[in-house]
Amino acid sequence: MEKITETLLLERGSPKTSLERIKTLRLSKLGLKHQDLPVKLLSRLQSLEHWDLSGNRLQEFPKNLELPALRHLDLSDNQIEDVTTLKSLSGLEELKLEDNLYITVSDNYKLMVLLPNLRMYNGKDVSTTANHLRYVYTENLRTRIIAVWEKSFSLPDPITAEKMSTLEADFVRTARQQVKFGPSSVSDFTKWKVAILAKEYFCSLTKPKEEPESKEATDTKLNCDVRSPTKRKPPMDSSIRLTPLKILRTDPPAAEDSPRKSSLRLKPLTQTDAVRLSPRKRSQPPSTPTKGPTRLETPRRGSKVRQTKEDGAHVNQKEDVSRKELQRDADMQPTIKSCSKTQPVHLKPLHILQCHSKQNSSEDFSTQLWACAFQPPDATGGGGDRLVATCGGDSLCVIDCETGMVMKKYKVHGEEFFSLAWSVVLMSRGGKASAQHCSILAAGGKRGLVKLIHPRNNVAYGEFRASRKALSVLRFNPNKGNFLFTGSYDNKITMWDIGGVDSQYNFKVVQLLMLEMSATPLHICFPPTSPSSHLLTASEDGLHCYDTQLSTNNTTKRSKEMEITFPIYKKEDKDHDYHTVDGLSFLTDDIVASKNYLHGCIYLWSWSKTKTQRPDKKSRAVCAVVLAELQWTNTEIPYLALNTCPGQAYIVCGDDKGRLWTYHVTNLQKNSFQSGKPIQPTEVLEWPTPVRKGVGQVEGPSINSVAMDPELQFLVALSDKNMVIVWKRE
């Protein structure tokens, strides 16, 4: 008689509506053997996420049972001998195999390699060890296997099936005998993995090789005399023009936390604190920041600005306007269909906070604020749609947008934070308790250190050195929350596996990949359709795409896969360089919004159509397939970053007068994609003009960064004058 029936599955599963909708299933302590698990019936459990099979007599898992939604599997207290039968569970994140007497250390290693998403094993976070085995350990084995072939083997002449079969068996056997690596306790795992890799390598020798396109390091781009900004503009002698870099201030660090509202008020409210203002004169070109040794710039910024303003009215004039614009309209329509039901929103200023002040002083209008991001929802759906993290100066704050209260504040004396990023990682709780998801913050700046923080428990639980230079940008991979990318001023992007944490906040960090650039990275974006294989990075030297797939066949140091160029580059000359891309974000799975320094428009372009083009063999360049241009402001201030809200089809970018330029794409497409002229903004939100008693109105500052929650209930803008502006949807 069958032990597992549809009736039993519905009784022990939840919800109980149908097999296809079951998410949790308990089949523990039923005395089951592997032949009692019917593959055909169990294959209907396509929504199953948690499966408890503990306390049975299973010697192996049913082969070829594919459960794409399964994330947690409990096989503890069984008799498992062959762990390779679990290979089909590629989405598994947590596995329990305690009290299986025949499981060895080698079996543990096999599981970490076979299950590419495994992070928690027997209640412990193993993501760091697993990634080391998948990539570093495997690459070492492959190097040794190739050495065995080159020393003792060669392809027969002529090649026959019989000779090749004999040669393959001999090669695999020799490799298993001669390749020694790692401790003796995992020799069984090493031989097993060597056999797999040796077969793969042998097969690759007889496959027809595709002629690779030139992957030479391509510093050979035309117009690469880039004198453009890197990160920003502290008060400096106006007679000296500097290449703008993120500012490294030497001001004495502030001391005390202040989890309260700022005293700065909006215009309709009264003001209580006397604040000294020193706004930049509009008639003078703004000074720009520098990192490390000062580099003088050729005095051409002023002419750049004037020329940019003159070009603004002509930037979209192209030949054959009608034909090209009709094609752009056709390209644009399918990609925005998912957002067609959204409506324009109306935002009003709610709070203006000074929560990053030196010494908690309300007179501090010089600390520049650089990055902000809303807390993401965790796996349970909980999260902080109204909690936003901001950084600038020596502090990082977590703010409740509704109340305007600073809920958490972290200070690091001597640091200046330039970037931050949220992620959700697993926290193991020990014993038989399941791991839980927790939201963490990573932040970094001029010291080159990444700080790891768990805001909910108010714990700054660790740090690690990501670079000897300052960090310019941090981003987590949206699909793998433990993969952190750091961009630094030594022109590198490094991929780290930070793992999860245990209940004592122990963690381990491993470097997985390094991407070499020709300039400081300013922004990092992951294409929503391929976040684990491609990375887009904006820099002073243009927009570049990198292959970030952790295939064991690839090296851990890589150069760019291609450069994406823009039409504005055609207007460059010795006095005008538009290669600095200082804004980058995806609006949909395909549409990208990007902004070039000194160009008074924002480009909307298609990622899928751009990447399908064949790059130039020498320069690796492809031209962006531009769908539309959005009219923005004319300014010489660099690094005024844009952001997008895909769920509401919104793009927002601040300017140098405290204004926010907002674009609702579905509203704009009806009347502008065929015109050939820049699309006008849906609305320009004017600077709220807060006032201070005895001083008057606060002049509009530069808006360095903006962030929106997924539903666009709140919009947060950061200024270069120590002000966090919170806008709320009416």
Side-chain angles (χ1 to χ4, degrees), residues 350-364:
L350 184 63
H351 306 291
I352 298 183
L353 312 176
Q354 289 178 278
C355 48
H356 293 267
S357 302
K358 302 182 188 75
Q359 307 293 342
N360 253 359
S361 171
S362 59
E363 295 188 6
D364 178 7

Side-chain angles (χ1 to χ4, degrees), residues 335-563:
T335 54
I336 59 177
K337 187 176 290 185
S338 61
C339 297
S340 60
K341 295 182 180 179
T342 62
Q343 298 295 324
V345 301
H346 300 284
L347 297 161
K348 63 177 181 180
L350 184 63
H351 306 291
I352 298 183
L353 312 176
Q354 289 178 278
C355 48
H356 293 267
S357 302
K358 302 182 188 75
Q359 307 293 342
N360 253 359
S361 171
S362 59
E363 295 188 6
D364 178 7
F365 270 66
S366 61
T367 297
Q368 301 195 63
L369 311 184
W370 293 117
C372 55
F374 277 85
Q375 180 180 347
D378 57 30
T380 63
D385 286 349
R386 49 191 270 181
L387 293 181
V388 67
T390 62
C391 72
D394 63 359
S395 61
L396 182 153
C397 297
V398 178
I399 300 168
D400 185 320
C401 291
E402 183 67 52
T403 65
M405 298 298 291
V406 179
M407 310 305 293
K408 314 284 182 182
K409 187 171 183 178
Y410 308 90
K411 278 182 175 285
V412 180
H413 293 288
E415 178 64 280
E416 183 174 4
F417 288 109
F418 292 152
S419 186
L420 56 77
W422 287 95
S423 188
V424 177
V425 300
L426 287 174
M427 173 180 278
S428 58
R429 296 184 290 173
K432 293 191 175 183
S434 296
Q436 66 180 15
H437 291 84
C438 64
S439 293
I440 65 163
L441 263 175
K446 75 173 185 181
R447 297 172 65 191
L449 297 173
V450 174
K451 292 285 184 181
L452 298 174
I453 300 166
H454 185 198
R456 181 174 181 179
N457 287 359
N458 205 27
V459 175
Y461 66 86
E463 69 177 33
F464 66 93
R465 177 162 293 284
S467 174
R468 294 186 179 277
K469 300 286 188 177
L471 300 179
S472 56
V473 59
L474 279 70
R475 286 294 180 273
F476 281 98
N477 185 301
N479 276 16
K480 294 184 179 294
N482 52 310
F483 285 3
L484 173 65
F485 289 78
T486 60
S488 51
Y489 279 89
D490 54 3
N491 301 344
K492 291 181 175 64
I493 294 177
T494 308
M495 177 181 179
W496 307 89
D497 178 6
I498 67 165
V501 294
D502 61 19
S503 57
Q504 303 300 314
Y505 287 100
N506 296 310
F507 71 102
K508 186 177 181 181
V509 177
V510 173
Q511 180 180 321
L512 299 178
L513 192 64
M514 182 176 290
L515 310 177
E516 297 178 335
M517 302 185 61
S518 55
T520 301
L522 304 177
H523 298 280
I524 293 174
C525 270
F526 302 95
T529 54
S530 55
S532 298
S533 57
H534 290 93
L535 175 148
L536 294 177
T537 179
S539 73
E540 292 181 310
D541 198 23
L543 180 61
H544 301 123
C545 175
Y546 287 83
D547 173 13
T548 58
Q549 193 162 7
L550 288 174
S551 165
T552 53
N553 294 321
N554 293 327
T555 60
T556 56
K557 286 188 177 183
R558 302 179 195 172
S559 298
K560 68 185 178 188
E561 184 178 359
M562 65 180 179
E563 178 187 357

Side-chain angles (χ1 to χ4, degrees), residues 13 58 60 79 100 238 280 345-346 376 414 486 523 552 567 619 663 677 716 721 724:
L58 299 172
E60 61 182 48
Q79 300 169 18
N100 281 269
S238 60
R280 178 184 294 120
V345 301
H346 300 284
T486 60
H523 298 280
T552 53
S619 67
Y663 310 86
K677 296 180 180 179
V716 174
K721 293 182 180 177
V724 178

Side-chain angles (χ1 to χ4, degrees), residues 325 328-329 332 336 627-628 665 669 671-675 679:
E325 292 304 325
R328 293 201 304 182
D329 191 36
M332 191 70 165
I336 59 177
L627 306 174
V665 173
Q669 66 149 348
N671 55 19
S672 51
F673 288 151
Q674 298 180 12
S675 67
I679 298 167

Side-chain angles (χ1 to χ4, degrees), residues 152-170:
S152 308
F153 294 90
S154 61
L155 292 175
D157 187 16
I159 293 177
T160 65
E162 183 179 357
K163 288 181 180 179
M164 291 296 287
S165 178
T166 302
L167 179 61
E168 179 181 14
D170 189 22

